[in-house]
């Protein structure tokens, strides 16, 4: 009887803890520097999540470096109590390929809480490139094999990954020029020092609107609807089969986080994604808030596994690693 009472008390304690959650500030670790696109997504989401979780304080912890593995590892090793979460982007699908000495396992060291948004990408070129449409660009590429410079924001960056996929789809090798961030890469593209770049709409839309670069296509399955980009074709429609790249973001907790807390966080996330203020802020970034089944933890995990399977062979074929 005594053992039964102790077991019952323990179960009650765990249940009460979950029901009381959250009773103190939650930290969302962002494995990138403050001020970047992923940091902005995290801060916007934190405000909406706060409203869904009883006005609890949510702290953003920027733990940048090593292709996002530093911040991700920090969460993988954190106490599984729901008070330390990870917000990461497509890196969750590319780290297994880019890092040969992973300090954690993406598929087994986290609880998947649901996806947040997709950020489309655009293929752009220097302003004096003679090609003005994708069809003309395709011809120009064929005429200049071995002479083309393709810029990116650094190894493992979104622009690097998109560039790898683009070369793989065309079966054409280009000279990859990595920079320390999008800003210097964009400056050199506008200045004509590099020929092409593929980057997020959050970084390219203003340059396209200002006609500082040539815009050729978007990397989504369907055309975009924003005014500056709606006239651009998709790369799929131009003959690049299954070419789709978006910089998606997801929310994670350490492995072993109680199921009740996971469920509460997923419910809060779903509500946050329907918050009009959050949706408006994401649209301003050029992002599309997730409304499909990937907001469910199981589908989120399934999607990341598919991304790992997609990117790992492409990265290995290129032989370029982040460690």
């Amino acid at each position: 009887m005594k053992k039964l009472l102790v077991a019952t008390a323990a179960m009650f304690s765990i249940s009460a803890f979950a029901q009381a959650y959250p009773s103190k500030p939650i930290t969302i670790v962002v494995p990138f520097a403050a001020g970047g696109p992923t940091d902005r997504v995290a801060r916007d989401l934190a405000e909406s999540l706060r409203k869904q979780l009883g006005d609890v304080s949510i702290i953003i912890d920027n733990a940048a470096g090593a292709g996002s593995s530093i911040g991700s590892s920090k969460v993988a090793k954190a106490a599984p109590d729901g008070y330390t979460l990870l917000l990461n982007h497509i890196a969750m699908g590319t780290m297994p390929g880019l890092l040969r000495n992973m300090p954690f396992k993406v598929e087994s060291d986290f609880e998947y809480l649901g996806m947040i948004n997709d950020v489309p990408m655009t293929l752009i070129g220097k302003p004096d490139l003679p090609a003005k449409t994708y069809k003309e660009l395709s011809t120009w590429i064929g005429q200049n094999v071995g002479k083309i410079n393709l810029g990116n924001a650094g190894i493992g960056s979104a622009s690097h990954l998109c560039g790898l996929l683009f070369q793989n789809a065309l079966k054409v090798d280009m000279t990859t020029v990595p920079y320390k961030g999008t800003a210097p890469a964009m400056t050199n593209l506008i200045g004509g020092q590099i020929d092409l770049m593929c980057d997020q709409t959050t970084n390219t839309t203003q340059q396209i609107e200002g006609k500082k670069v040539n815009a050729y296509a978007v990397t989504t399955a369907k055309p975009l609807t924003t005014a500056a980009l709606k006239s651009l074709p998709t790369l799929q429609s131009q003959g690049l089969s299954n070419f789709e790249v978006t910089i998606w973001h997801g929310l994670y907790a350490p492995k072993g986080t109680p199921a009740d807390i996971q469920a509460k966080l997923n419910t809060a996330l779903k509500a946050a994604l329907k918050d009009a203020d959050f949706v408006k802020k994401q649209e301003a970034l050029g992002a599309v808030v997730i409304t499909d089944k990937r907001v469910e933890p199981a589908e989120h995990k399934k999607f990341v596994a598919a991304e790992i399977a997609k990117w790992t062979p492409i990265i290995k074929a290129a032989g370029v690693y982040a460690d």
Side-chain angles (χ1 to χ4, degrees):
M1 178 63 73
K2 185 175 182 180
K3 289 183 179 179
L4 178 62
L5 289 173
V6 170
T8 301
M11 291 176 64
F12 177 78
S13 177
I14 292 171
S15 178
F17 173 75
Q19 290 174 6
Y21 174 86
S23 58
K24 63 180 183 179
I26 296 171
T27 295
I28 296 180
V29 176
V30 177
F32 300 99
T38 299
D39 178 67
R40 291 182 64 183
V41 171
R43 292 177 190 276
D44 289 346
L45 182 68
E47 177 58 24
S48 293
L49 277 179
R50 179 189 63 76
K51 293 184 286 186
Q52 307 303 327
L53 292 169
D55 287 329
V56 65
S57 295
I58 298 181
I59 301 164
I60 302 299
D61 175 13
N62 296 97
S68 87
S69 65
I70 291 176
S72 300
S73 182
K74 184 174 184 177
V75 176
K77 297 174 182 177
D81 56 10
Y83 289 100
T84 304
L85 308 177
L86 171 68
L87 191 151
N88 202 351
H89 67 14
I90 192 175
M92 294 297 275
T94 59
M95 278 190 288
L98 284 167
L99 299 174
R100 290 164 292 187
N101 298 297
M102 286 279 287
F104 56 86
K105 294 181 179 179
V106 169
E107 293 183 270
S108 59
D109 286 346
F110 299 95
E111 303 293 356
Y112 289 63
L113 300 175
M115 290 182 62
I116 301 163
N117 67 12
D118 283 315
V119 182
M121 303 192 77
T122 48
L123 179 65
I124 56 177
K126 62 183 181 181
D128 60 350
L129 201 66
K132 302 305 176 185
T133 66
Y134 182 80
K135 184 177 180 180
E136 292 175 356
L137 178 67
S138 182
T139 299
W140 180 83
I141 289 173
Q143 295 170 342
N144 290 275
V145 174
K147 304 176 184 178
I148 302 169
N149 293 319
L150 179 66
N152 65 58
I155 294 174
S157 66
S159 51
H160 174 227
L161 297 167
C162 185
L164 286 180
L165 189 62
F166 185 56
Q167 293 177 81
N168 183 270
L170 290 179
K171 307 301 181 188
V172 173
D173 289 330
M174 302 178 187
T175 300
T176 300
V177 185
Y179 290 82
K180 292 183 178 179
T182 296
M186 186 67 74
T187 296
N188 274 14
L189 182 71
I190 293 171
Q193 284 77 38
I194 54 176
D195 301 309
L196 298 171
M197 186 164 71
C198 182
D199 209 348
Q200 301 176 62
T201 54
T202 48
N203 297 322
T204 65
T205 300
Q206 186 176 356
Q207 310 302 336
I208 293 170
E209 287 179 324
K211 301 187 184 304
K212 294 182 178 180
V213 297
N214 283 315
Y216 298 108
V218 294
T219 64
T220 47
K222 297 178 181 179
L224 302 180
T225 57
T226 53
L229 308 173
K230 64 182 181 180
S231 64
L232 297 179
T234 67
L235 285 170
Q236 285 193 33
S237 71
Q238 300 304 299
L240 301 190
S241 179
N242 298 317
F243 194 109
E244 184 174 3
V245 184
T246 60
I247 306 307
W248 45 267
H249 293 85
L251 193 64
Y252 310 82
K255 185 69 176 179
T257 299
D260 285 355
I261 291 178
Q262 291 183 54
K264 184 169 283 191
L265 285 167
N266 177 254
T267 297
L269 175 62
K270 289 176 181 175
L273 298 185
K274 295 178 181 178
D275 180 3
D277 288 339
F278 178 73
V279 173
K280 184 177 180 180
K281 289 176 181 177
Q282 295 310 290
E283 289 176 345
L285 290 176
V288 179
V289 174
I290 297 294
T291 58
D292 57 50
K293 60 186 180 180
R294 291 175 297 166
V295 76
E296 300 294 344
E299 292 297 330
H300 177 193
K301 187 171 185 177
K302 181 179 177 181
F303 176 81
V304 174
E307 288 285 277
I308 292 171
K310 169 184 175 179
W311 286 107
T312 298
I314 293 172
I315 292 166
K316 288 186 176 179
V320 180
Y321 302 97
D323 59 4

